[in-house]
Amino acid sequence: MSDSTPGPLVVVTGMTGAGRSTAAKELEDLGFFVVDNLPPSLLADVVRLVDESHGPAQPVAVVVDVRSGEFFQGLRSVLAHGATGRDTTLVFLDASDEVLVRRQEAARRPHPLQRGGRLLDGLQRERVVLGDLRSEADLVIDTSKLNVHQLTDRIAEAFGTAESTRLRVTVISFGFKYGIPVDADYVADMRFLPNPHWVPELRPRTGQDLEVAAYVLDQPGAEEFLDAYVTLLSGVAQGYLREGKRFMRVAIGCTGGKHRSVAMTEEITRRLLEQGYVARAIHRDLGRE
């Protein structure tokens, strides 16, 4: 898509408890700019602001539901008049009353239209309000028998691109003396390799320098570790994709985060890129010494 071609606009609506939040999170992971609980009358304004701040090619998704009150009634009019200038898809998420009641009771949340009555009363009022929109939706997804992963798969199938559905791996080098990255999915310790710090000519350099990298990668056990660990990460990555996860953070540590972890992080990233993953290297503690 060129920068001058408007990106798609996805409007997500549907029954309370049918999975709107899950759909919104998946669209965000797919690269959409997502706005939740938006009054329909502001839809065109939001698209205009996104065009100005991110460019017209930025995909946009908005979640509209009965919390918008009287504004909700204007959604059909806004969509019918093409006020946003974008190719718009209306997605309606639904489920059986039995499933919706069970989900709401499990979440211990009242229905926005319950009005002090039964939860089922609120759902029935919501069906009346949403009836016309459901009939006009471009895509209706019944989530009664879908789990979270299956719903995200349906959203990715409908709105994902080859690029947005690829796994993104961030490989982070760090120094144990500064603490382990708290958001890492996997952590590996490179302190089993000899430390270039004790080689005078290598001490002032970093793992990004060819001489240091060669020293680290040529050590006994380094190649074996890389082969095994990248194979492990590749297998985990495929599992992540099957489960609808598209981001993985791998932390590679040594004592100070200057030599061994940096060199190994660069090499792991290179190998992941060769295998077709979207991978990048970050050196958290480089330069702290």
Side-chain angles (χ1 to χ4, degrees), residues 19-278:
R20 292 188 307 255
S21 296
T22 298
K25 178 63 172 62
E26 175 63 12
L27 286 165
E28 187 174 42
D29 287 347
L30 292 174
F32 281 73
F33 184 95
V34 178
V35 181
D36 194 7
N37 194 23
L38 179 75
S41 59
L42 299 180
L43 189 56
D45 292 328
V46 166
V47 171
R48 176 178 53 80
L49 292 172
V50 172
D51 287 350
E52 294 173 354
S53 59
H54 294 77
Q58 170 64 50
V60 179
V62 298
V63 180
V64 182
D65 56 59
V66 292
R67 289 177 295 172
S68 299
E70 63 185 31
F71 295 107
F72 186 82
Q73 302 300 328
L75 178 58
R76 294 175 65 202
S77 176
V78 171
L79 296 178
H81 289 86
T84 66
R86 289 179 176 235
D87 183 18
T88 303
T89 301
L90 177 61
V91 179
F92 192 98
L93 301 179
D94 203 353
S96 68
D97 286 347
E98 179 183 358
V99 169
L100 294 175
V101 168
R102 186 168 66 246
R103 290 175 182 172
Q104 287 298 102
E105 288 179 342
R108 297 186 177 181
R109 295 176 181 172
H111 191 280
L113 298 183
Q114 193 168 339
R115 301 172 185 171
R118 299 180 305 161
L119 179 56
L120 186 58
D121 294 333
L123 289 170
Q124 291 173 345
R125 293 189 184 102
E126 188 176 29
R127 286 202 185 280
V128 173
V129 174
L130 299 179
D132 290 336
L133 274 177
R134 190 187 192 285
S135 66
E136 297 170 3
D138 301 294
L139 175 63
V140 176
I141 301 176
D142 188 328
T143 68
S144 300
K145 298 181 179 180
L146 301 182
N147 60 33
V148 171
H149 303 308
Q150 291 168 331
L151 176 54
T152 57
D153 285 345
R154 291 288 301 276
I155 297 298
E157 178 184 347
F159 303 107
T161 64
E163 179 64 23
S164 65
T165 55
R166 295 170 68 193
L167 183 74
R168 285 163 168 74
V169 185
T170 301
V171 189
I172 309 161
S173 70
F174 73 95
F176 277 97
K177 69 179 182 180
Y178 302 115
I180 297 174
V182 296
D183 57 351
D185 298 302
Y186 293 89
V187 178
D189 186 351
M190 298 300 101
R191 291 176 294 186
F192 72 94
L193 297 170
N195 193 346
H197 175 81
W198 303 115
V199 180
E201 60 270 26
L202 299 181
R203 181 178 300 176
R205 302 190 179 191
T206 75
Q208 291 181 311
D209 291 311
L210 293 178
E211 294 84 355
V212 175
Y215 176 87
V216 172
L217 298 178
D218 286 344
Q219 295 300 322
E223 184 68 23
E224 291 81 357
F225 169 82
L226 287 166
D227 289 342
Y229 199 61
V230 172
T231 299
L232 169 68
L233 293 178
S234 181
V236 169
Q238 295 305 311
Y240 267 43
L241 288 172
R242 287 192 297 271
E243 291 299 304
K245 299 179 180 180
R246 295 190 179 85
F247 300 92
M248 182 166 67
R249 295 175 67 84
V250 179
I252 308 296
C254 63
T255 303
K258 180 179 179 180
H259 296 113
R260 293 166 291 182
S261 64
V262 172
M264 296 294 272
T265 289
E266 291 285 344
E267 181 62 16
I268 290 170
T269 302
R270 186 188 68 78
R271 295 189 181 200
L272 289 173
L273 286 169
E274 281 188 347
Q275 293 188 14
Y277 295 104
V278 180

